[in-house]
Every structure is written in C-alpha cells, then in structure tokens.
C-alpha cells in the first residue's frame, strides 16, 4: 500500500493484533507462531474499509466490461469490450473468479478448485479472540483474527465436491 500512497490510510485503521498468531492444531498446540517483530506492516482491516480507501483514492472511471489488461514496466492499459483503452499506473483485478484481468496476465495460473469453500464473516459486536491465525485439522481449517474495534473476522471453510466440476464464473 505504501507504493501507491495508501499505507498510512490503511495503518490508521488499526494496529497489528495484540494476541499470539500463527498455525495451530485443533487441540490448540502451536505448529508455527508468527514472529514477534511482524510490526506495523500487518494490520487486520474490514474489507469494506479497505474498499473505501481504494475507491476514494482511485480516479473516477466509467463502468465498462474489461476484456484485457496490457502491462508495461510502468503502467497498465485497460481495454474495454467497446475497444476503448485507458492507461493507469495501477490496476486492481477484483472482478471475481472468472476474472478477465487475471486471464490477461502473462503468468495466469488459471483457477483450480481447492476442495473447499470458505465463508468470510465478521462478528456484530466485540468478541474476545485469544489468538489469531489458522487452526488446521484433518480435512479442515479455520481462520480468525481480531479487528481494531473489538470485533473479529473468521473464515470457516466447508469441504465438498461441487457438481459440474470447478466453478469458472459467478460471485467470488
């Protein structure tokens, strides 16, 4: 975020979690703890707040369907379905699992179903989170992190096999 002048705005949303963090087993045993010197570069922020910072800093653009992004060493050119081109210093590809922006990237790895679906959630009010990170277990994992306002965010995944194979479009 510092490279695009937004680091201070993101850091102003909060401080690094003041709880231990890392990877744990279901019984709470630590497998890997984060270094104590992760410092101010690591902050947990609400996704909507991050979107607000990004959209406030971005220049106004007309809605368009992006078909590809051409990049050079110092800029990116967005090409719309009408053929219109617009040059930017930075393009953030947040257009979902069927991303045209990702597909236009030279090193696009494509998409691969990981075997589970993860939901993201944020508690409505304060929720004490004694530790942050992920708990890994046989066939499952759960991530949780405290937010600066006392709420917590979590990612409880569910393993399943989708019908019809790997999803290639739709909401992300």
């Amino acid at each position: 975020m510092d490279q695009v002048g937004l680091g201070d705005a993101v850091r102003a949303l909060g401080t690094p979690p003041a709880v231990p963090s890392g990877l744990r087993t279901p019984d709470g045993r630590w497998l890997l703890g984060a270094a104590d010197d992760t410092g101010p570069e690591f902050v947990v922020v609400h996704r909507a707040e991050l979107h607000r910072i990004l959209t406030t800093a971005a220049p106004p653009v007309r809605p368009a369907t992006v078909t590809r992004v051409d990049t050079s060493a110092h800029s990116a050119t967005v090409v719309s379905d009408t053929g219109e081109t617009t040059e930017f210093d930075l393009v953030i590809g947040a257009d979902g699992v069927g991303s045209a922006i990702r597909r236009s990237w030279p090193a696009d790895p494509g998409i691969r179903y990981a075997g589970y679906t993860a939901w993201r959630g944020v508690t409505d009010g304060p929720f004490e989170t004694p530790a942050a990170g992920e708990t890994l277990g046989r066939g499952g994992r759960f991530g949780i992190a405290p937010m600066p306002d006392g709420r917590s965010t979590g990612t409880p995944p569910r393993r399943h096999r989708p019908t019809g194979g790997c999803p290639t479009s739709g909401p992300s």
Side-chain angles (χ1 to χ4, degrees), residues 47 53 62 66-67 74 82 91 93 105 127 132 146 149 158 164:
R47 185 178 173 139
I53 288 171
R62 282 194 345 261
V66 174
T67 57
H74 301 287
T82 64
V91 173
W105 205 257
F127 181 82
D149 63 3
R158 178 177 168 257

Side-chain angles (χ1 to χ4, degrees), residues 101-128:
I101 294 172
R102 187 204 67 248
R103 285 192 312 269
S104 70
W105 205 257
D108 172 30
I111 59 173
R112 177 182 58 84
Y113 182 64
Y116 60 90
T117 300
W119 291 270
R120 279 188 295 244
V122 177
T123 60
D124 287 336
F127 181 82
E128 185 177 338

Side-chain angles (χ1 to χ4, degrees), residues 29-106:
R29 184 174 51 87
W30 288 100
L31 295 171
L32 176 68
D36 289 337
D37 63 350
T38 52
E41 301 304 312
F42 174 71
V43 290
V44 177
V45 299
H46 192 286
R47 185 178 173 139
E49 289 296 312
L50 180 59
H51 282 189
R52 181 187 56 76
I53 288 171
L54 293 171
T55 56
T56 300
V61 294
R62 282 194 345 261
T65 300
V66 174
T67 57
R68 74 175 196 272
V69 177
D70 298 324
T71 61
S72 69
H74 301 287
S75 67
T77 302
V78 174
V79 182
S80 75
D81 59 347
T82 64
E84 181 180 0
T85 62
T86 309
E87 187 172 312
F88 296 95
D89 294 329
L90 171 73
V91 173
I92 297 174
D95 55 335
V97 70
S99 174
I101 294 172
R102 187 204 67 248
R103 285 192 312 269
S104 70
W105 205 257

Side-chain angles (χ1 to χ4, degrees), residues 20-31:
S21 61
L23 300 174
R24 295 182 300 171
T25 62
D27 65 4
R29 184 174 51 87
W30 288 100
L31 295 171

